[in-house]
Amino acid sequence: MSLVLLAVSLVALAVLFAVLRVPMPDAVVYRAEGRAVVHGGDLYGLRVTEGQLSATYPPFAALLFVPLAWLPVPVLKAAFLVGNTFLLVWLVHLSARLAGRPAGLPLLCAATALALWLEPVFQTFIYGQVNLAVACLVLWDLTRPPGARARGVALGIATGIKLTPGIFLVYLLLRGRGREAARGAAAFAATVAVGGLVVPTATWDFFTRHLYETGRVGKPWIIANQSLQGLVARALREQATGLAWVLPSLAVAAAGLWLARRTPDERWGVLLTAFTALLVSPISWSHHWVWCVPLIAVLLAEGRHGWAAITTVLFTARTMWLIPRQGDLDLRIPWWQEPFASPYALLGLALLAAAALRLPPFRPGGTGSGGQPSDRISSASTIR
């Protein structure tokens, strides 16, 4: 029955894509990046699709996109559809492993069929994004057994693709896992070096200039941005948030990492770090929040079915897309619509607040203080 459910879900998705002629714009951008590397074009000067989208990832990512350069667009779309399907299966498997409840084939198929329609996952398919691949690299590395060979390297590679996973290297340091953090940092440095060897000009331009041009990614105040900056911009009705975003962002980053360090439960340490990264990143598009999958898995494993149901509804309701959007209307929505415009950012903040309220008292060197951090996925729950 679960296999039938998965098949029906995938067929429904494929038919929907065919009827709507989904453009998968990000996949088209990745293909253009690969072609720029092959043909020696201006990687960060390219503009493709009707939206005139540009390359925003480090040069190492463009090297990985080289095989896409020779694919016709219809084949490219099919490849992303199939590839993201397998990655979603893997993410569900890794989420169950993080939760300490390995899933058999029937449960794996059923969970994948349902997870497909979570808004961040669905949007990842719509855009032809790499979010699932990056999340899988991070989760695979963090859920490997203690002492596993080259633990931390996959984190460094993920950071070389999209930078934001670099926060997990800080998390490893704070948990007392310095060797893993060092291996991850070395792997990231290797991705930068490879990029520098193959596309030296693009590498120099990215790390000295384009990295700091957040406007290249998109307008931070639009509803699609579910980061703290998006929440603040819409609440203040200001396109430029300045210190009104920077200071709260620094506070959230410090608090989130402190909570991740102190929690005695490794799995909540991973989730708190992930949601902290999503909150403090200048732009976290709704499809970046695929970390809802492991969050729901952990809640279910702890028997917190009510909270799991609420979380599932929140990530399925798509409330931000129900609000009229045209021009600068995102900055002029009524106050009562604000929670519907920023559901993911508010959930992330609520998650950090819940963790802060439920942590055991601070005792230097004691359990949960970070003095002797756990290196396993614990069955204990921090958030009750």
Side-chain angles (χ1 to χ4, degrees):
M1 180 60 70
S2 60
L3 281 172
V4 173
L5 178 63
L6 178 58
V8 169
S9 189
L10 290 173
V11 169
L13 182 73
V15 170
L16 183 63
F17 275 36
V19 171
L20 297 179
R21 296 184 178 180
V22 173
M24 290 192 185
D26 288 344
V28 175
V29 173
Y30 302 152
R31 176 177 177 266
E33 291 183 38
R35 291 169 67 88
V37 173
V38 171
H39 300 295
D42 183 359
L43 178 59
Y44 295 104
L46 62 85
R47 296 292 184 275
V48 293
T49 75
E50 292 183 5
Q52 292 294 290
L53 301 178
S54 60
T56 58
Y57 298 166
F60 177 73
L63 303 185
L64 300 181
F65 297 146
V66 164
L68 306 179
W70 293 280
L71 296 182
V73 172
V75 177
L76 175 77
K77 292 180 180 180
F80 265 82
L81 187 60
V82 173
N84 272 329
T85 298
F86 281 104
L87 286 169
L88 179 57
V89 173
W90 192 23
L91 180 62
V92 171
H93 164 72
L94 292 171
S95 298
R97 192 162 81 178
L98 177 72
R101 300 288 191 274
L105 183 60
L107 179 57
L108 187 64
C109 291
T112 301
L114 298 176
L116 185 62
W117 302 98
L118 294 167
E119 192 271 347
V121 175
F122 182 76
Q123 291 293 104
T124 291
F125 276 79
I126 286 282
Y127 285 103
Q129 256 284 343
V130 296
N131 304 307
L132 295 172
V134 173
C136 284
L137 276 175
V138 172
L139 262 187
W140 175 75
D141 210 347
L142 291 173
T143 58
R144 296 172 70 199
R149 187 176 182 182
R151 204 173 180 206
V153 170
L155 270 177
I157 294 173
T159 305
I161 297 172
K162 213 168 181 180
L163 291 184
T164 48
I167 194 172
F168 286 97
L169 300 179
V170 180
Y171 165 75
L172 291 177
L173 276 176
L174 294 176
R175 298 288 290 196
R177 293 153 65 178
R179 290 185 179 180
E180 293 175 39
R183 283 194 290 265
F188 170 63
T191 68
V192 176
V194 170
L197 288 173
V198 180
V199 282
T201 300
T203 300
W204 175 260
D205 288 345
F206 178 81
F207 285 102
T208 60
R209 183 157 52 97
H210 299 312
L211 174 61
Y212 314 101
E213 298 171 349
T214 55
R216 291 175 57 86
V217 183
K219 299 179 179 67
W221 45 267
I222 64 175
I223 284 176
N225 181 21
Q226 290 292 302
S227 73
L228 185 61
Q229 179 173 209
L231 170 65
V232 170
R234 290 187 291 273
L236 297 179
R237 290 168 169 72
E238 293 286 346
Q239 293 187 15
T241 52
L243 292 178
W245 162 67
V246 172
L247 295 180
S249 183
L250 291 174
V252 168
L257 287 170
W258 180 77
L259 291 168
R261 172 182 181 264
R262 286 207 57 221
T263 177
D265 191 335
E266 179 78 6
R267 58 190 175 186
W268 279 109
V270 171
L271 289 174
L272 290 171
T273 303
F275 280 85
T276 297
L278 290 166
L279 284 169
V280 302
S281 175
I283 291 182
S284 291
W285 301 130
S286 69
H287 53 76
H288 292 169
W289 291 73
V290 293
W291 282 90
C292 63
V293 176
L295 173 61
I296 293 169
V298 169
L299 290 171
L300 288 172
E302 294 180 352
R304 303 181 61 77
H305 301 114
W307 287 112
I310 292 172
T311 303
T312 301
V313 169
L314 186 145
F315 280 104
T316 307
R318 295 160 167 79
T319 58
M320 73 283 285
W321 305 123
L322 301 178
I323 297 173
R325 302 173 62 248
Q326 186 177 2
D328 65 347
L329 283 182
D330 297 32
L331 290 175
R332 294 189 283 117
I333 59 177
W335 66 267
W336 60 270
Q337 290 184 356
E338 294 287 352
F340 301 101
S342 306
Y344 302 167
L346 291 174
L347 177 136
L349 292 173
L351 189 67
L352 297 186
L357 291 172
R358 298 300 182 180
L359 275 181
F362 179 74
R363 297 185 181 89
T367 302
S369 70
Q372 295 295 328
S374 169
D375 194 27
R376 61 188 178 84
I377 305 303
S378 168
S379 61
S381 172
T382 298
I383 301 181
R384 298 289 181 187

